[in-house]
Amino acid sequence: MTTQVSPRPAVSPLDARFGARFVTRLAALPRTLVRGRAGSARWERPALLGLLLATAVLYIWNLGASGWANSFYSAAVQAGSVDWTAFFYGSSDAANAITVDKPPASLWLMALSVRLFGLSSWSILVPEALMGVASVGVLFATVRRRFSAGTALLAGAVLAVTPVAALMFRFNNPDALLVLLLSLATYFTLRGIETGALKWVLWAGAMVGFGFLTKQLQAFLILPPLAAVYLYAAPHRFRTRLWHSFAALGAVIVSAGWWVAIVELVPANWRPYIGGSQTNSFLELTFGYNGFGRLTGSETGSVTGGAGGTGAVTGGMWGETGIFRLFLGEFGGQITWLLPAALLLCVAALVVLRRAPRISLRRATLLLFAGHLILTALAFSFMAGIFHAYYTVALAPALAGTFAIGASLAWMKRTALWARITAAVAMLATSAWAWVLLDRATDWLPWLKFVVAALGLVAAGLLMVPPLAAWLRRLPGKWWGRATVAIALTGALLAPVAYTLDTVSTAHTGSIVTAGPTVSGGMGGMGGGGMPGGRAGFPGGNAGGFAGGGTPPAGPPGGNGTVPNGTVPNGTTGTLPTGGRPGGAGGIMGSASVSASLAALLSVDSDSYTWIAAAIGSDSAAGYQLATQLPVMAIGGFNGSDPAPTLAEFQADVAAGKIHYFISGTTGQANGGSSASSEIAAWVAENFTAQTVDSVALYDLSAGATAAASAS
């Protein structure tokens, strides 16, 4: 008797179910994208897609006007696009002399874009704009899980039109990626609170870890509110919540520590020098110059010590510290338009949710946004070291979420007199604060503050009308409510929208940028149109005004700025649009303007040298590197104050025939940093003969290799 063996099924039942589910979801994807999930209103998904499309247009339109934007980072992107070692470490040049003074995560995305699409302003900046669109989408998804679609759309719209967000999502600083990663950390933490699953908090920890690889300790400002809210609201026993929190901390350490471990363990002569440090140590950079030094003002090698250079909290080049710092000078117009209202409405929302259970996701969402907003704002307000106005973009998602949730809950409780009074006071406070901010931009749209004030008064009056008094209105209650909301939101958002439109229509270049028009009362006397870039006294600058001895752009400060090498980065000849404000603060520490003839001279016989030139300071070197797309050594790093290279190392490189030219520029020892750049400049001037090309002093180092060898 033969036994019949059943043929083995080609697909297991589990695989069949998984495959059928996948096919079903794939088939439903077009409908889901257009209509949204089952149970959602028909208008919700089109409204979200419209918001994301409008945000993309806002952030991408006229994007190339900023040229290389922050050339310090653009040069590192160019280097990483042609050399994988430079890519991994975030080197300023493809020959790997020194890194930028930040971890390289944000550079990785831009360098990959340049590898795919070639070097241009667009290939560098489009990833930043797309990260802005993604941040709006993540914020919408975060709020939508426990609040209405209208609330989530309001949060996304507020983030999109925040002036400093529009600035930084069109700029190549690390802040765009940091905002996206911290937004994802918030979303994943709330998913962990909602489901109780460990995987979500591990993902949140990984996002914070990669945030560290973007902007170091600033990413950790979100950790206390994340941990506190999870420990309070997660649906587990406290012991389990504590274990999950430690597991998330482990995810932070692993996702950030792998790169740090490689950098610290690799022999120093196998990698580039760590820019911004005085001892070639990433840990020193983390806890010193970019860490606790930002809080105390003790930042060895910085352009200034902050707070007068003493670590005191009495003010200085970066503005006075204190609880009202973010409301002063140009800081206010970046982010604070809705901040007074958000704080007031947050209190009202907590009153509404006071009886919610411990595991309430609505209250957890509000607490997480508000905690991140308050803690980060306090850190920025009291840090005595280097502080730029654009740092406040880190507040934007938390501010938008807090405002939207608070406004929504106050509106939901409008039958109560206290809720109507709160909403009306918030509206009046927003209008009054907008008047103050608009009044600082004295010559810009002077009529706008009157319109905003009128809308605020009308909206406050409408918000005080009881919902049950429909017979007084001669309109159906639904339409009265819609009109009230429309007028209130128009009054609240009109001024920041105008600031944002001014921001996206203006070119921004340099290392210090601000959103919106020029304002009076800028920090440390700098204001929106403060000190010209490269003015004497700033590392890498000179008396002529631009780093490395380059000639300043044509026209007055803030006018037509010439793009490096005389061409727009996409290769077409032209200049920046009229009205451009390089750097938003006069282009402080912007890169050198390099003529076509000078770039051609520097490129001659480039294959014979490791570096075609060396210049003091990364910003100065960046202009020449972007003009030639060849390695230029940035002596001393960003401020010219790092001991990289030392005089002996530079002499050895010259003797070995690795450096062709030395480009003259201002040197100096910044805030206690190394004086190696001054020693190198003095040695070059003593041993080599200068030639002037397009107003730039060049020293041909190849002509004196023998003298250099004997000196070294």
Side-chain angles (χ1 to χ4, degrees):
M1 179 178 178
T2 58
T3 302
Q4 298 228 352
V5 179
S6 300
R8 183 177 180 180
V11 180
S12 70
L14 180 61
D15 290 340
R17 287 197 302 272
F18 176 79
R21 189 161 59 246
F22 176 77
V23 171
T24 301
R25 290 183 177 180
L26 185 64
L29 185 60
R31 180 189 179 280
T32 303
L33 286 175
V34 176
R35 294 285 303 277
R37 296 185 180 275
S40 62
R42 295 177 64 91
W43 56 265
E44 178 178 337
R45 185 51 59 91
L48 171 60
L49 295 176
L51 172 62
L52 296 179
L53 178 61
T55 304
V57 172
L58 181 69
Y59 291 168
I60 295 176
W61 177 80
N62 198 35
L63 189 61
S66 293
W68 299 121
N70 189 339
S71 57
F72 172 61
Y73 291 118
S74 290
V77 169
Q78 181 274 328
S81 70
V82 297
D83 182 81
W84 285 113
T85 300
F87 175 92
F88 180 80
Y89 290 109
S91 300
S92 291
D93 64 274
N96 295 292
I98 192 170
T99 70
V100 298
D101 58 2
K102 298 289 187 300
S106 65
L107 302 176
W108 291 341
L109 298 178
M110 291 182 282
L112 290 174
S113 175
V114 171
R115 282 181 179 269
L116 287 173
F117 305 109
L119 181 65
S120 70
S121 176
W122 274 73
S123 63
I124 292 174
L125 297 180
V126 162
E128 311 299 292
L130 295 180
M131 284 188 278
V133 177
S135 297
V136 171
V138 171
L139 180 60
F140 173 90
T142 303
V143 176
R144 183 65 182 96
R145 296 202 68 81
R146 282 297 180 271
F147 293 93
S148 68
T151 305
L153 287 168
L154 176 59
V158 170
L159 172 58
V161 301
T162 299
V164 72
L167 171 68
M168 297 316 295
F169 287 130
R170 295 167 53 88
F171 205 71
N172 60 330
N173 279 19
D175 301 78
L177 179 58
L178 180 67
V179 168
L180 175 58
L181 290 171
L182 298 188
S183 297
L184 287 168
T186 301
Y187 174 80
F188 289 138
T189 300
L190 290 170
R191 289 300 304 271
I193 295 174
E194 178 184 6
T195 65
L198 176 61
K199 65 178 182 180
W200 293 114
V201 293
L202 294 179
W203 275 112
M207 294 303 101
V208 176
F210 278 102
F212 175 86
L213 294 183
T214 302
K215 212 172 179 189
Q216 291 177 286
L217 293 185
Q218 185 180 332
F220 289 173
L221 288 174
I222 199 174
L223 283 177
L226 287 181
V229 173
Y230 187 82
L231 285 170
Y232 172 71
H236 294 293
R237 294 180 301 173
F238 181 76
R239 184 172 61 184
T240 303
R241 284 177 265 157
L242 191 62
W243 144 243
H244 283 188
S245 298
F246 277 111
L249 180 60
V252 173
I253 295 172
V254 171
S255 57
W258 67 273
W259 186 87
V260 178
I262 292 174
V263 172
E264 288 297 304
L265 294 176
V266 165
N269 59 344
W270 288 12
R271 59 165 173 78
Y273 187 94
I274 302 301
S277 73
Q278 295 296 307
T279 61
N280 197 11
S281 168
F282 183 79
L283 293 179
E284 181 214 324
L285 178 67
T286 298
F287 296 106
Y289 182 81
N290 281 338
F292 298 117
R294 297 292 172 116
L295 298 177
T296 65
S298 178
E299 298 171 282
T300 302
S302 69
V303 66
T304 179
T310 64
V313 290
T314 57
M317 179 177 178
W318 312 113
E320 291 195 16
T321 59
I323 194 68
F324 297 111
R325 182 190 211 176
L326 298 185
F327 296 92
L328 302 176
E330 75 276 18
F331 295 134
Q334 310 301 301
I335 191 70
T336 64
W337 301 90
L338 302 176
L339 183 54
L343 296 175
L344 179 60
L345 293 171
C346 177
V347 175
L350 290 174
V351 172
V352 174
L353 298 172
R354 67 189 183 280
R355 300 186 187 278
R358 177 183 64 81
I359 60 174
S360 168
L361 193 66
R362 290 160 68 86
R363 183 169 57 197
T365 304
L366 177 62
L367 288 175
L368 215 166
F369 281 136
H372 184 204
L373 172 65
I374 293 171
L375 181 61
T376 305
L378 289 174
F380 287 165
S381 297
F382 289 97
M383 59 189 290
I386 296 173
F387 178 66
H388 301 310
Y390 65 78
Y391 289 0
T392 57
V393 70
L395 301 170
L399 174 59
T402 303
F403 174 81
I405 293 171
S408 173
L409 292 177
W411 177 254
M412 182 184 72
K413 290 292 184 179
R414 64 189 181 279
T415 53
L417 177 61
W418 71 266
R420 296 199 302 276
I421 292 175
T422 301
V425 170
M427 187 71 245
L428 291 174
T430 300
S431 298
W433 182 236
W435 178 287
V436 173
L437 293 176
L438 292 171
D439 195 52
R440 293 176 183 172
T442 53
D443 298 325
W444 181 78
L445 302 182
W447 52 268
L448 183 59
K449 58 187 176 184
F450 296 100
V451 175
V452 171
L455 288 171
L457 290 172
V458 173
L462 294 175
L463 289 168
M464 284 298 297
V465 176
L468 299 179
W471 60 275
L472 291 174
R473 309 172 197 146
R474 298 184 180 181
L475 282 173
K478 180 186 295 186
W479 291 102
W480 182 267
R482 289 176 178 175
T484 301
V485 170
I487 294 174
L489 291 181
T490 302
L493 297 179
L494 182 59
V497 166
Y499 244 65
T500 294
L501 293 177
D502 177 84
T503 300
V504 301
S505 62
T506 302
H508 292 85
T509 60
S511 297
I512 301 179
V513 289
T514 55
T518 300
V519 300
S520 59
M523 58 115 177
M526 292 174 64
M531 301 185 72
R535 176 178 291 185
F538 288 94
N542 62 12
F546 273 76
T551 55
N560 270 352
T562 305
V563 177
N565 200 21
T567 60
V568 179
N570 61 13
T572 57
T573 301
T575 59
L576 292 176
T578 302
R581 290 190 295 275
I588 185 172
M589 290 183 277
S591 65
S593 178
V594 183
S595 67
S597 58
L598 178 55
L601 174 63
L602 293 174
S603 302
V604 170
D605 202 20
S606 59
D607 291 340
S608 301
Y609 301 92
T610 305
W611 295 276
I612 62 167
I616 305 295
S618 296
D619 265 324
S620 177
Y624 300 103
Q625 181 169 307
L626 290 168
T628 61
Q629 298 187 33
L630 295 168
V632 176
M633 178 185 288
I635 298 174
F638 183 76
N639 294 315
S641 57
D642 300 341
T646 63
L647 175 58
E649 290 168 340
F650 185 81
Q651 290 171 338
D653 286 336
V654 172
K658 294 182 177 181
I659 307 172
H660 195 175
Y661 291 102
F662 177 82
I663 302 171
S664 180
T666 296
T667 61
Q669 185 174 350
N671 194 32
S674 170
S675 60
S677 62
S678 298
E679 296 169 0
I680 289 171
W683 176 78
V684 170
E686 183 179 347
N687 292 277
F688 298 89
T689 302
Q691 58 176 313
T692 302
V693 180
D694 294 335
S695 303
V696 177
L698 292 180
Y699 294 86
D700 187 350
L701 303 182
S702 64
T706 303
S710 61
S712 63

